[in-house]
Amino acid sequence: MREPRAFLTTIAGRLIIDDARRKKVEQAYLETWMALYGDCAAAPSSEELATVVELLTEVAGWLESLPEKPRQAFIMSRLDGLSHAEIAERLGVSVSMVKKYVAQALLHCLALNETD
């Protein structure tokens, strides 16, 4: 290795970015928890929180590795609950293309999950 200091600096920078992403996911999860359950339910334990944040971070990474339109179509379908026709209108594509995008996203995530 010719430049060990540069290598370590790059790794440290990426670890900082990963930590910031993880904290962002954790905060979003806790905000969603409070919005859904409020003060009525006990907050998740540290172990539960770590497990959920790890899973959400992994899924977010899978989705980030998709091309833009398949990612958008999948998110609109699964998270926003939009119909294929509504997604097609928003993305400016045909309904059959939306079906292909969603299928592509599902297959992509399945393939990545099987390699882990």
Side-chain angles (χ1 to χ4, degrees):
M1 186 176 299
R2 292 183 181 185
E3 299 288 335
R5 184 172 288 176
F7 177 71
L8 291 174
T9 301
T10 300
I11 289 175
R14 289 181 181 160
L15 288 173
I16 291 169
I17 291 168
D18 286 347
D19 186 54
R21 283 184 187 147
R22 185 175 178 82
K23 286 180 182 174
K24 187 176 178 180
V25 169
E26 182 177 326
Q27 184 62 36
Y29 175 73
L30 289 173
E31 288 173 5
T32 302
W33 177 275
M34 289 303 293
L36 291 174
Y37 303 111
D39 294 331
C40 300
S45 70
S46 296
E47 184 178 292
E48 291 171 326
L49 181 61
T51 301
V52 169
V53 168
E54 183 178 323
L55 178 61
L56 290 173
T57 302
E58 187 174 356
V59 170
W62 294 346
L63 293 175
E64 287 175 6
S65 65
L66 277 168
E68 184 67 22
K69 285 195 176 183
R71 179 177 57 245
Q72 288 178 336
F74 182 79
I75 290 171
M76 286 184 218
S77 172
R78 301 297 176 178
L79 298 181
D80 298 336
L82 298 179
S83 70
H84 288 169
E86 291 170 319
I87 297 167
E89 185 178 322
R90 290 188 184 190
L91 293 180
V93 298
S94 67
V95 172
S96 64
M97 197 70 224
V98 171
K99 290 178 183 179
K100 288 178 185 176
Y101 286 154
V102 172
Q104 178 185 354
L106 288 170
L107 289 172
H108 177 75
C109 291
L110 179 63
L112 289 174
N113 186 41
E114 289 177 352
T115 61
D116 290 341

